[in-house]
Amino acid sequence: MSQRPPIAIIHIAFAFVVAGITGAIVVAIIRLPSEAIGLSAAAIANLDAAGAKNPVTAVLLNFRGYDTLLEILVLLLAAIGARVLTASDASFVVEPARSANPVLLGFIRILAPVMIMVAGYLLWVGGHAPGGAFQAAAVLAALGVLLKLGGVSWTRKLSQRGERLLLVAGLAVFLVVATAVMLSQRRFLEYPPSVAKTLILVIESAATVSIAAILLALFSSGTLRETQSERSHSKINSSEIPNNKMPNHKTPRDEAAQ
């Protein structure tokens, strides 16, 4: 009697676990009430103490501050992971373009100040209308991508320490504010209503810069180290093959021409 390989048992056990989780999710969805209860009424009723007139901002940065704090942490970890797995050592460094497209550069000169103003507006308006740090950061990151694609050396004076400071500033300010309110006999992330608006604006300003830096770092992470290594080995192997032993890739048209 043949014995089943251990790897097959692991696969079967994993399949049962996945099936159990899937079944639990399906049961939970089926048992949901037909009408969503929601907490919108409770959130709107406490807007005066939240420090933001926009319910979404109040939920993200006050009522549900833990989630937003962890979301910024996840983004930062993603940027660190991308830096480790890719061949990029200085993600913000922009190589000067050898032949800059004058049309593209002119477009950037016109669009850059507009995008900065839009980002600032989205950051400010987030307190009482749709907007906020994530939207503003997306606009700033798009501007950074545009500058990078255009070969504009806008980070020439930015050191690696300054780049890292930009990446962690949002999370650091969030933690400092959350911890500082505990000195006034409050809970973690429980802002005093009198200064809640100011504290949220400080957190959002720092988060805007950091999220934009993280998004730009993810865009600029480069190729995977394995891919880079494979390319290097391919170049080395091709340089070691003598010219008279290089494979012949002549097409039928070339042979007919000869």
Side-chain angles (χ1 to χ4, degrees), residues 27 32 43 96 112 136 138 163 197 201:
V27 171
L32 284 175
E163 176 188 341
K197 182 178 181 180
L201 182 60

Side-chain angles (χ1 to χ4, degrees), residues 37-50 52 54-56 58-59 62-63:
I37 300 174
L39 297 173
S40 57
I44 294 174
N46 291 278
L47 283 182
D48 293 335
N54 183 21
V56 177
V59 170
N62 197 325
F63 304 144

